Amino acid sequence: MPASVPASVSGRAWAMLALAAVGFAVNFWAWALLSPLGPRFKESLGLSSFQQSLLVAVPVVVGSLGRIPVGALTDRFGGRVMFPLVSAATIVPVLYLGLAGHSSLTALLVGGFFLGIGGTAFAVGVPFVNAWFPPERRGLAIGIFGAGMGGTAISALTTVKLVTAHGMATPFLITAAVLAAYAVLAALLLRDAPGRTVPTEPLTRRLAATFRLGVTWQASALYAVAFGGYVAFSVYLPTYLKTGYGLAQADAANRMAGFVLLAVAMRPVGGWLSDRIGPLRVLETVLAVVVAGAVAQSFTPELAPVGTLAFLAMAAALGAGSGAVFALVALLAPANQVGSVTGVVGAAGGLGGFLPPLVMGSLYGAYGSYAVGLALLAVVALAALAFTGTGVRHALTRRGSTAPAH
């Protein structure tokens, strides 16, 4: 169907999309609870820069790797089963961290490990939403769902303030209550799309087939840069701003929230543009912006205006790029493997966010500067841009997709 002819989408599909996006936001809120508290734990527990980076990165890597089996399970059992299950399971580590698991680094790492369950919600929502929408509207739909990553902004804006005003347990208890409410709501209201393609092969065989698909690796590489960059900044930006620019913890957390909100707002825009001009053109543009922003920030300019503009430009680009990657998945992945592909691609994105905070912490500890880390980001984004213009372009051309691949 040409992009100029709008596809018909039922009101029920939009309602399911809204419920899925809320679930994604709530689980991501829980997933990001430790990040704003990183500087506080560093001071109270005497952590090194690397230990602080490890603390906020552990939920990211667990939530990322967990997406692989959760995505495959969603292909089999559907979002109606998996969304309430993931939400309910995330309550346990949230309560543990709030009530008992914040007195030592070991306890925090254990809690953070299981907190990663919340990060797997992404691999539930993409195949769930994908099945409700026609191919020519999936870029926008999955982009809107992906805006649920703004749950990290809720955490950034509220966690430190709640801890300061009411004690360590408060934000965790509130989040646990919201997770429980959503789990019940999802169990009552979520419905899988009629005619959803259900795979019949065993899980291991389906995962093996997923790893053989070219789109799995192409989208994974791009998502590791786009979403990985977003995750890395969302968990490390408070530390970067506090250490590199001397900002107060609350000010740094607020600025990180602004970064997150812009990236979140741009994710549906990236999907919407991909439906109209093709994901390839969107990806090439946003990766060029990331290269320019990272190069500019590597010189550690004044925060106002150059530093702020560089970060906001990267936020917008990373958000739009994240939306474009899953528009690419919707074009190239077989219908009954979208969940499995999403799981692997989502894992790559999360792992892309796991490594940079560790690298930045280590490089700052060694050189007293973040310049090298930002220069490395520019190099990686440049490599992704070159790959998009060659390997991904070739895949879209070979597929003969109906979406523009300019």
Side-chain angles (χ1 to χ4, degrees), residues 205-220:
R205 188 176 300 174
R206 284 188 285 123
L207 285 174
T210 298
F211 284 116
R212 289 195 294 269
L213 292 172
V215 64
T216 302
W217 300 107
Q218 292 155 0
S220 291

Side-chain angles (χ1 to χ4, degrees), residues 133 372 381:
F133 285 80
V372 177

